Amino acid sequence: EEHFVESRGGLVQAGGSLRLSCAARGFTLDDYAIGWFRQAPGKEREGVSCISPDGSIWSKDSVKGRFVISSDNAKSTVYLQMDNLKVEDTAVYYCAAGARSSWANKDLVKYLAVWGQGLLVTVSS
């Protein structure tokens, strides 16, 4: 069965850092683009960043220069290093796997193949 083993989220102060990790089980990083979505209270789920099997990366404009996604194929694990966190980054972060296009197009989110359970990231002012 395809699923993820995720790290814990956390509570950090604005300007701080946090690293999320997501280990694939039952599939490999060559099978799908893998990355994160997030959903803040009262808002729609949105794509944050993903990395494709060829190593190409897509990231939401508001996190560019602050969040860096990377992968370790030997561990089938994808990481999201989040620096200079802002209060508006507070959300539940979901690991996901599927077609890269799903991250930038909300109409394609429903076609993602695998979802993590979600990690709460809270950024305090």
Side-chain angles (χ1 to χ4, degrees):
E1 180 185 354
E2 297 178 332
H3 66 281
F4 289 112
V5 176
E6 299 171 284
S7 62
R8 293 182 295 179
L11 171 64
V12 296
Q13 288 189 326
S17 298
L18 191 65
R19 189 176 81 157
L20 305 181
S21 67
C22 175
R25 296 291 182 263
F27 62 103
T28 73
L29 303 190
D30 291 332
D31 293 328
Y32 304 110
I34 297 177
W36 275 267
F37 283 76
R38 68 185 182 187
Q39 187 165 18
K43 294 189 176 181
E44 286 189 328
R45 191 171 297 192
E46 61 179 7
V48 176
S49 187
C50 70
I51 185 166
S52 297
D54 66 0
S56 60
I57 289 171
W58 176 90
S59 295
K60 178 178 174 63
D61 284 346
S62 63
V63 306
K64 289 179 180 177
R66 301 189 298 122
F67 292 9
V68 177
I69 193 169
S70 61
S71 63
D72 183 335
N73 282 11
K75 296 181 179 180
S76 293
T77 299
V78 175
Y79 303 94
L80 186 67
Q81 177 67 40
M82 305 186 293
D83 296 325
N84 190 22
L85 281 160
K86 302 178 180 181
V87 172
E88 53 264 40
D89 294 319
T90 295
V92 177
Y93 284 70
Y94 296 90
C95 199
R100 174 193 171 108
S101 55
S102 298
W103 266 260
N105 186 337
K106 63 180 181 180
D107 293 332
L108 300 180
V109 172
K110 60 186 174 184
Y111 297 114
L112 285 161
V114 189
W115 283 98
Q117 293 184 336
L119 305 172
L120 178 60
V121 173
T122 303
V123 184
S124 62
S125 59

